[in-house]
Amino acid sequence: EGRDLNHDEL
Amino acid sequence: MNMFRFLGDMTHLFSVLVLLLKIHTIKSCAGISLKTQELYAIVFATRYLDLFTDYISLYNTVMKLVYLGSSLSIVWYMRRHKLVRRSYDKDQDTFRHHFLILPCLILALLINEKFTFMEVMWAFSLYLEAVAILPQLVLLQRTRNIDNLTGQYVFLLGAYRSFYILNWIYRYFTEVHYVHWITWISGLVQTLLYGDFFYYYFHSWKNNEKLQLPA
């Protein structure tokens, strides 16, 4: 179950 | 990565590291809420589950590990270190922080970007982070004073929040499809809680008084 929403913030 | 985001990450990093280094050096955690620190450890642990599934950048991975490691170390110091533990204001730090967790979890189950385990945990961590400072604010109100340690800590956290909001505004106008309502709204709530604190902090500083929050 990978992350397809781009959560590139911390 | 824009400058606001970078400065936000750095002030966030410094807030945690300054706290950890001071606790380590002076062997005291007086004025620091263990409840808030435990909530932050939960926030990082639930938000960074993607450490195992997704790779974004070396920067992201290293920062996540540092946030996780330093927040867990702070909790360890406050609970287990025999000298630090003694300085903890246990009787004053009475906020029932467990009662924040369940509502945040329910909210995350109801409002998330996608109904998957990772996304629900991500939303949960954002909601919990928004309110995680409450035990610390209650402790400040109880002890009615603010020393350099807690002052710098909350100031750095406030700077982190402000830079992140500038980052979101910047990204909204410079990137296509950059819309994260959950992050924005919970981030705004969190910043308003800090704003409330800052108001009284500066007021007391201006009048050269000890900090006194309204009961």
Side-chain angles (χ1 to χ4, degrees), chain A residues 1 3-4 7-9, chain B residues 50 114 119 168 171 178:
Chain A
E1 191 177 28
R3 165 156 293 161
D4 48 9
H7 292 308
D8 59 354
E9 288 171 358
Chain B
D50 62 353
K114 199 178 175 195
E119 285 306 319
W168 295 330
R171 291 189 72 174
Y178 179 80

Side-chain angles (χ1 to χ4, degrees), chain B residues 100-155:
Chain B
L100 290 175
I101 297 174
L102 192 63
C104 288
L105 192 60
I106 292 169
L107 194 61
L109 286 165
L110 296 173
I111 305 172
N112 48 66
E113 291 195 32
K114 199 178 175 195
F115 195 70
T116 63
F117 178 69
M118 298 284 276
E119 285 306 319
V120 170
M121 286 294 106
W122 176 270
F124 167 73
S125 79
L126 288 169
Y127 301 145
L128 195 62
E129 187 186 358
V131 292
I133 197 70
L134 284 174
Q136 181 66 66
L137 294 185
V138 169
L139 182 61
L140 284 173
Q141 189 180 327
R142 283 265 169 83
T143 53
R144 289 181 187 275
N145 74 68
I146 179 163
D147 59 14
N148 287 335
L149 176 61
T150 41
Q152 284 169 5
Y153 175 64
V154 183
F155 191 88

Side-chain angles (χ1 to χ4, degrees), chain B:
Chain B
M1 186 165 55
N2 63 69
M3 192 48 76
F4 302 123
R5 156 76 195 281
F6 181 70
L7 288 173
D9 285 348
M10 288 302 118
T11 43
H12 195 190
L13 182 69
F14 284 139
S15 71
V16 185
L17 289 185
V18 162
L19 186 58
L20 180 59
L21 283 175
K22 286 207 172 178
I23 290 175
H24 175 79
T25 310
I26 63 178
K27 298 286 184 284
S28 167
C29 63
I32 298 297
S33 165
L34 176 62
K35 309 286 176 82
T36 285
Q37 296 307 317
E38 287 179 343
L39 291 178
Y40 279 134
I42 296 171
V43 165
F44 290 136
T46 50
R47 186 174 306 166
Y48 300 153
L49 290 170
D50 62 353
L51 267 174
F52 303 105
T53 57
D54 292 80
Y55 179 78
I56 294 163
S57 65
L58 183 65
Y59 172 85
N60 263 54
T61 302
V62 170
M63 292 292 274
K64 284 171 179 175
L65 290 172
V66 173
Y67 286 145
L68 268 171
S70 46
S71 69
L72 288 171
S73 305
I74 292 169
V75 172
W76 178 85
Y77 262 110
M78 293 184 74
R79 292 184 82 108
R80 299 270 176 256
H81 191 282
K82 65 173 189 279
L83 284 175
V84 175
R85 195 166 74 175
R86 239 178 266 166
S87 63
Y88 169 48
D89 304 318
K90 195 179 179 188
D91 299 335
Q92 308 274 6
D93 190 20
T94 54
F95 193 93
R96 312 281 277 273
H97 67 324
H98 292 110
F99 288 117
L100 290 175
I101 297 174
L102 192 63
C104 288
L105 192 60
I106 292 169
L107 194 61
L109 286 165
L110 296 173
I111 305 172
N112 48 66
E113 291 195 32
K114 199 178 175 195
F115 195 70
T116 63
F117 178 69
M118 298 284 276
E119 285 306 319
V120 170
M121 286 294 106
W122 176 270
F124 167 73
S125 79
L126 288 169
Y127 301 145
L128 195 62
E129 187 186 358
V131 292
I133 197 70
L134 284 174
Q136 181 66 66
L137 294 185
V138 169
L139 182 61
L140 284 173
Q141 189 180 327
R142 283 265 169 83
T143 53
R144 289 181 187 275
N145 74 68
I146 179 163
D147 59 14
N148 287 335
L149 176 61
T150 41
Q152 284 169 5
Y153 175 64
V154 183
F155 191 88
L156 283 167
L157 277 177
Y160 148 62
R161 296 314 313 166
S162 313
F163 282 126
Y164 252 76
I165 286 183
L166 292 172
N167 159 59
W168 295 330
I169 295 169
Y170 181 85
R171 291 189 72 174
Y172 178 76
F173 285 110
T174 54
E175 291 176 30
V176 186
H177 305 309
Y178 179 80
V179 179
H180 287 293
W181 282 107
I182 292 174
T183 314
W184 295 345
I185 291 170
S186 48
L188 203 62
V189 170
Q190 190 183 355
T191 312
L192 289 174
L193 288 176
Y194 285 122
D196 194 51
F197 170 81
F198 277 129
Y199 175 80
Y200 292 104
Y201 179 76
F202 284 115
H203 189 74
S204 64
W205 173 76
K206 203 175 71 183
N207 296 323
N208 202 18
E209 301 165 341
K210 277 191 152 191
L211 182 80
Q212 200 159 334
L213 297 167

